[in-house]
Amino acid sequence: EKNMYNRYDNINKFITDIDKLKMDKYGTVYISEEDDYDISVCLDGQMERFEELKPVIIKVAEHVCELDNIVQRYYKKCCKNSQKYYKERYNIDDFEDYPETIYIDKPNMIALEYWGARENTQYLVKFEEIDNKFILKSFGMVDDIPADWDEII
């Protein structure tokens, strides 16, 4: 089983310089270029807030690896049915879905849109930032994840 943790750990592949952030006419802001990790923040509907949200976008870029690790850990601990399905169907043990688009709901609420590597599936994983820590709030259809899910299960 190959280790998928820290798969986004090359910070040099992220744009962490606030002056280098650019938004296209659709409100897409790449935080990792297409030929690197290909991850963007979508500001569709709030493009006028680009300047104001730049520090949030940078913070997200700096934490993608950590957020993705939390998503993987939650999947391994809590998504037993999905794991069983992928094991039976494709004989894989790893979490292969990948984040492509990130939405900023409020400055302290972000959502990562994950896409399926094997199947045409997409779902949102939401985090709330509290005291400089990102707390997992929902994973796909699962809402109201308890703050201490990592210890309980």
Side-chain angles (χ1 to χ4, degrees), residues 23-118:
M23 179 173 64
D24 71 13
K25 63 182 184 199
Y26 306 107
T28 302
V29 182
Y30 274 94
I31 56 172
S32 183
E33 296 294 346
E34 290 175 81
D35 46 4
D36 287 328
Y37 294 133
D38 191 17
I39 300 173
S40 61
V41 169
C42 173
L43 293 182
D44 185 29
Q46 46 183 353
M47 288 165 71
E48 71 288 345
R49 296 183 62 209
F50 178 48
E51 287 302 319
E52 174 200 340
L53 290 172
K54 276 182 175 179
V56 181
I57 294 169
I58 293 294
K59 184 174 245 186
V60 168
E62 291 170 342
H63 288 85
V64 166
C65 185
E66 177 195 335
L67 295 172
D68 181 64
N69 285 347
I70 293 170
V71 170
Q72 290 193 55
R73 225 171 36 242
Y74 181 83
Y75 174 82
K76 286 200 161 80
K77 277 194 151 180
C78 308
C79 303
K80 300 295 182 201
N81 287 344
S82 298
Q83 290 173 48
K84 188 167 176 275
Y85 171 81
Y86 281 107
K87 180 77 181 162
E88 285 170 5
R89 180 137 191 205
Y90 301 108
N91 197 28
I92 53 170
D93 292 311
D94 297 307
F95 177 76
E96 294 187 344
D97 300 350
Y98 55 92
E100 194 165 90
T101 310
I102 298 172
Y103 299 92
I104 298 171
D105 295 337
K106 295 185 203 122
N108 67 325
M109 293 289 292
I110 61 164
L112 281 71
E113 185 173 58
Y114 273 78
W115 287 74
R118 300 281 170 146

Side-chain angles (χ1 to χ4, degrees), residues 12-27:
N12 299 322
K13 290 188 175 186
F14 287 97
I15 297 164
T16 54
D17 176 346
I18 210 158
D19 299 321
K20 295 206 170 114
L21 290 175
K22 292 187 202 67
M23 179 173 64
D24 71 13
K25 63 182 184 199
Y26 306 107

